[in-house]
Amino acid sequence: MNTAKADTSNNDAPPETSSTPPDVIDVTIHPLVLLSATDHYHRVARGTRKRAVGVLLGSASRGSIDATNSFAVPFEEDSKNSSVFYLDHNYMENMLAMFRKVHAKERVVGFYSTGPQIRPNDLRIYELVKRVVPAGTITPPVFVIIDVRPDRESIPTTAYRVVEEVDLVVPTGGADKSGGAAEVRKSFAHVPSLIGAMEAEEVGVEHLLRDINDPTVSTVANLVKAKLSGLSTLTEKLVEMKDYLTAVSEGHMKANSEIIANMQAIVNLLPNLNVEELVRSMLVKNNDMHMVIYLSALIRCVIALHDLVVNKIAYNGEVGDGLGLAKGKKATKVDAGEEKKEDDGDSKAKSKKKNSQ
């Protein structure tokens, strides 16, 4: 935590309540960053409680940050003492120098972590990453949590920016504020994050998804899975809103008028489901959909039984032809044996007649 002394002996005006740098509007994460972070996690921290940390490279324009590339950084932290960690800043500086030789337009726009939550060391890592940001950069670096857990249904990225709040610290000696000090506190504030790609990246992602796509899964199953994913994400967001309102009502967090206004707008946009006509139409639509599903299941059963009968008939025909051929061959062999016996009997009779003569 950084502290800064404020001299208010000659000026009774209160100091500024915040010294926040220019706002970050949104952060766009490209597919290459997601693939690199996932590979980094699986090579370093898979199956453990560790996390992977790396540097984000890209560009910034008018508050919008595009993270197009990244690289991993050696990182270790003590699980028992959260204030102890190791970040190889020499390796980070060497990697940046090599990246500048390959792509001079890419610069440091922040750092990522596999989280999945903010940890106490993240502010200190932010200060280390801020040192390698080019001089004269207006847009500050951001912190992005990339959740690599496979069971996550929503967007796997969460972006944050650092805000600074100045609090007055009044000395315990008396009510005179002339000897007060200003304490600067830094914290993370949420920033909207997006998943974006250029045309070349989209082509590469499509080629990757061709191997992942399962052709045995029907389109209906994909649609149902997408609906379930959307509902689970909606539930997660509603629980997050509920937790925020509970924390505000209990005094654990400060009320943010912008967040509350957005919640009110969301509630106002919800449709009124108590209208009798709407309820009737939804029931009719639901019954029609279930009727279609029921008829489809019956048709599938009939087609499956038909295919089974056809296969059985074809199998019996093939087996029957095989048995007929086998019986024919056996009969010819029996006839040939009887003819041979008759020939042997005739030859013996002729030989006996010759001997008697």
Side-chain angles (χ1 to χ4, degrees), residues 126-331:
Y126 175 85
E127 295 298 331
L128 292 175
V129 173
K130 193 176 180 180
R131 295 178 184 176
V132 296
V133 175
T137 303
I138 299 176
T139 306
V142 295
F143 170 45
V144 179
I145 294 179
I146 301 177
D147 195 345
V148 297
R149 293 177 296 180
D151 56 346
R152 184 180 176 91
E153 299 292 344
S154 58
I155 296 178
T157 58
T158 308
Y160 300 93
R161 62 184 176 91
V162 173
V163 295
E164 298 179 354
E165 296 180 353
V166 180
D167 290 341
L168 288 179
V169 179
V170 181
T172 58
D176 186 11
K177 296 183 180 180
S178 60
E183 182 180 3
V184 179
R185 295 189 307 171
K186 293 185 178 181
S187 60
F188 287 109
H190 185 266
V191 176
S193 61
L194 309 171
I195 304 295
M198 294 181 288
E199 184 177 358
E201 293 175 327
E202 291 178 356
V203 173
V205 171
E206 288 178 0
H207 280 288
L208 289 175
L209 292 178
R210 287 179 182 177
D211 297 333
I212 301 175
N213 186 25
D214 188 2
T216 60
V217 180
S218 63
T219 306
V220 178
N222 291 332
L223 292 175
V224 173
K225 186 177 180 181
K227 297 291 184 183
L228 291 175
S229 175
L231 291 174
S232 62
T233 304
L234 177 61
T235 303
E236 180 182 350
K237 300 301 181 184
L238 291 175
V239 171
E240 185 176 356
M241 292 168 61
K242 172 183 170 293
D243 294 339
Y244 171 77
L245 293 176
T246 303
V248 170
S249 62
E250 293 178 354
H252 299 300
M253 295 179 64
K254 294 181 179 179
N256 190 321
S257 59
E258 185 177 357
I259 295 176
I260 295 176
N262 289 332
M263 290 183 180
Q264 187 64 41
I266 292 171
V267 174
N268 292 334
L269 291 174
L270 292 176
N272 185 11
L273 300 179
N274 296 325
V275 181
E276 183 178 357
E277 183 179 357
L278 179 61
V279 173
R280 186 185 302 107
S281 62
M282 291 183 66
L283 290 175
V284 171
K285 184 68 174 179
N286 191 24
N287 292 336
D288 293 342
M289 292 179 63
H290 280 81
M291 178 61 70
V292 172
I293 294 172
Y294 177 70
L295 292 176
S296 301
L298 286 178
I299 293 172
R300 290 180 64 181
C301 291
V302 171
I303 293 174
L305 289 174
H306 176 72
D307 293 339
L308 180 62
V309 172
V310 171
N311 292 335
K312 187 69 174 178
I313 294 172
Y315 176 76
N316 290 336
E318 292 176 359
V319 172
D321 294 340
L323 292 175
L325 291 173
K327 290 180 180 177
K329 290 180 180 179
K330 188 174 182 181

Side-chain angles (χ1 to χ4, degrees), residues 55 71 73-75 85-97 125 127-129 131-132:
V55 176
F71 64 87
V73 177
F75 175 77
F85 74 96
Y86 167 74
L87 181 70
D88 195 345
H89 58 88
N90 293 325
Y91 174 86
M92 181 171 59
E93 293 173 358
N94 293 332
M95 287 293 294
L96 285 175
I125 298 173
E127 295 298 331
L128 292 175
V129 173
R131 295 178 184 176
V132 296

